[in-house]
Amino acid sequence: MLQLKEIKILGSQKELGVLNNGKLLINTINAHSYNTALKDSLFAEALTKGDILIPDGASIVMACKWLKAKSQPKERIAGWDLFVYEMEKLNARGGKCFFMGSSEKVLALIKAKAAEVYPNITVEMYSPPYKPEFTEEDNRAIIDVINTAKPDLLWIGMTAPKQEKWAYAHWNELDINCHCGTIGAVFDFFAGTVERAPKWWQEHSLEWLYRLLKEPKRMWRRYIIGNTLFIINIIKEKLRG
């Protein structure tokens, strides 16, 4: 069973700057993914056996402190923070970025915006079939298109836990030598199809509430039930000692 107090989590945004170059799988953990991983052992394995795990939620930072966990992250590192850091770094030297996931519409918006914001980055992309499970042929097509592109940076956005499990399952088949981030909603944030919370909400750890207010029908289960369940699960972990 996943135990937050035992897993290694990156401590701060500053530590992004000292990550090794080359092939690294970078995942994020928040209240929702913690809850999900307790019920999904493969997802838990994918999260904990990636190379880097970042705390995408103030709740994770606070829970680590309360649990006296081995990792004591000092701040939230959102998937968006990872995205901006890696894109700016690549743009400074020039290179190729590959976006795998989402719809053709969203990917087209991403490519157009990236051309403006990151002019030194060549963008390639692939929209996989929209289905709960990929066939062997689907997986082969995804792997082949990524390997052919030979990107300097790879983003996978299919929502958790699908994106993390896919990247973990096929990691050894990806012939890449770059960082790979599983960043879900960041595709929509960057494309502009979903509005990210304003800075004030982010700084006060209320981005979840902003998303709930904007999309109550879609988000109420994740944030009202999910956040309550997260507290209960953390208390249970604490009591287990």
Side-chain angles (χ1 to χ4, degrees), residues 217-235:
K217 288 184 179 180
R218 191 167 77 90
M219 292 295 182
W220 74 271
R221 185 178 297 275
R222 172 168 176 167
Y223 289 127
I224 295 178
I225 295 178
N227 286 357
T228 303
L229 183 60
F230 176 75
I231 293 170
I232 292 170
N233 285 332
I234 289 297
I235 291 172

Side-chain angles (χ1 to χ4, degrees), residues 52-71:
I52 305 294
L53 190 59
I54 64 175
D56 183 13
S59 57
I60 294 294
V61 176
M62 290 185 286
C64 285
K65 183 176 181 179
W66 189 64
L67 290 170
K68 295 181 173 59
K70 290 181 178 178
S71 292

Side-chain angles (χ1 to χ4, degrees), residues 27-50:
N27 294 315
T28 69
I29 186 168
N30 54 32
H32 174 67
S33 55
Y34 172 83
N35 289 340
T36 304
L38 291 177
K39 301 178 294 182
D40 186 333
S41 59
L42 181 56
F43 181 42
E45 184 177 346
L47 283 180
T48 57
K49 292 195 175 181

Side-chain angles (χ1 to χ4, degrees), residues 196-214:
R196 195 177 180 214
K199 202 72 173 176
W200 184 90
W201 295 75
Q202 296 175 41
E203 291 173 347
H204 290 81
S205 303
L206 292 172
E207 191 165 4
W208 67 271
L209 179 58
Y210 184 84
R211 292 188 71 187
L212 175 62
L213 293 172
K214 294 288 285 187

Side-chain angles (χ1 to χ4, degrees), residues 51-113:
D51 297 296
I52 305 294
L53 190 59
I54 64 175
D56 183 13
S59 57
I60 294 294
V61 176
M62 290 185 286
C64 285
K65 183 176 181 179
W66 189 64
L67 290 170
K68 295 181 173 59
K70 290 181 178 178
S71 292
Q72 290 289 319
K74 300 178 181 65
E75 60 184 345
R76 175 194 182 199
I77 309 170
W80 177 264
D81 299 322
L82 173 68
F83 175 78
V84 171
Y85 173 80
E86 293 280 4
M87 292 294 280
E88 289 182 347
K89 182 179 176 182
L90 181 58
N91 189 61
R93 71 175 193 269
K96 182 187 294 182
C97 178
F98 198 101
F99 290 82
M100 199 288 282
S102 199
S103 66
E104 296 283 359
K105 176 185 174 182
V106 169
L107 291 176
L109 291 168
I110 286 173
K111 188 167 186 175
K113 186 171 181 180

